[in-house]
């Protein structure tokens, strides 16, 4: 699968852009947190597309943001 | 530092993992 680029994204309608990003992010997130992957991906998709593209290219950035999402979810569920 | 991530965000539904009809 070829890398997702900003020009590929720009050619798609806004809602489709998020779906495209989600399709790339989901398998990566699923390998870290299989049970929460759909929820975490949904949370991350609210971030700007340019930042999401950066995360797809930077495993460290993605990993940090996924861990942040898990912490937010756990704090939310503890309420 | 407070996270900007929203725990009430809509869950992502991947096409690739969808059940075939």
């Amino acid at each position: 699968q070829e890398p997702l680029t900003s020009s590929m994204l720009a050619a798609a309608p806004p809602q489709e852009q998020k779906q495209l990003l989600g399709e790339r992010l989901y398998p990566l997130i699923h390998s870290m947190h299989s049970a929460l992957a759909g929820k975490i991906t949904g949370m991350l998709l609210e971030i700007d597309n340019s930042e999401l593209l950066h995360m797809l290219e930077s495993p460290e950035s993605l990993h940090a943001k996924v861990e942040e999402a898990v912490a937010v979810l756990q704090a939310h569920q503890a309420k | 530092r407070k996270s900007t991530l929203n725990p009430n965000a809509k869950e992502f539904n991947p096409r690739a993992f969808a059940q075939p009809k």
Side-chain angles (χ1 to χ4, degrees):
Chain A
Q1 196 175 27
E2 60 182 313
L4 192 62
T5 63
S6 52
S7 56
M8 284 164 65
L9 268 191
Q15 197 49 46
E16 185 67 14
Q17 292 177 13
K18 292 295 186 186
Q19 186 71 27
L20 286 169
L21 285 161
E23 299 289 347
R24 303 299 181 109
L25 288 165
Y26 183 86
L28 302 172
I29 295 169
H30 191 269
S31 68
M32 299 179 217
H33 290 279
S34 56
L36 294 171
K39 186 68 184 176
I40 295 170
T41 306
M43 290 168 70
L44 265 54
L45 284 176
E46 294 189 342
I47 299 169
D48 284 349
N49 289 353
S50 58
E51 196 176 336
L52 292 171
L53 279 174
H54 171 70
M55 282 182 219
L56 283 172
E57 294 170 358
S58 165
E60 302 80 27
S61 300
L62 178 61
H63 200 270
K65 194 56 82 173
V66 168
E67 292 306 318
E68 184 183 328
V70 171
V72 167
L73 274 179
Q74 287 173 344
H76 179 72
Q77 285 162 358
K79 282 179 194 166
Chain B
R1 187 174 69 88
K2 194 177 185 306
S3 176
T4 55
L5 293 174
N6 170 23
N8 297 312
K10 185 167 165 283
E11 193 160 331
F12 176 74
N13 182 28
R15 291 174 187 146
F17 285 66
Q19 293 292 322
K21 284 178 187 167

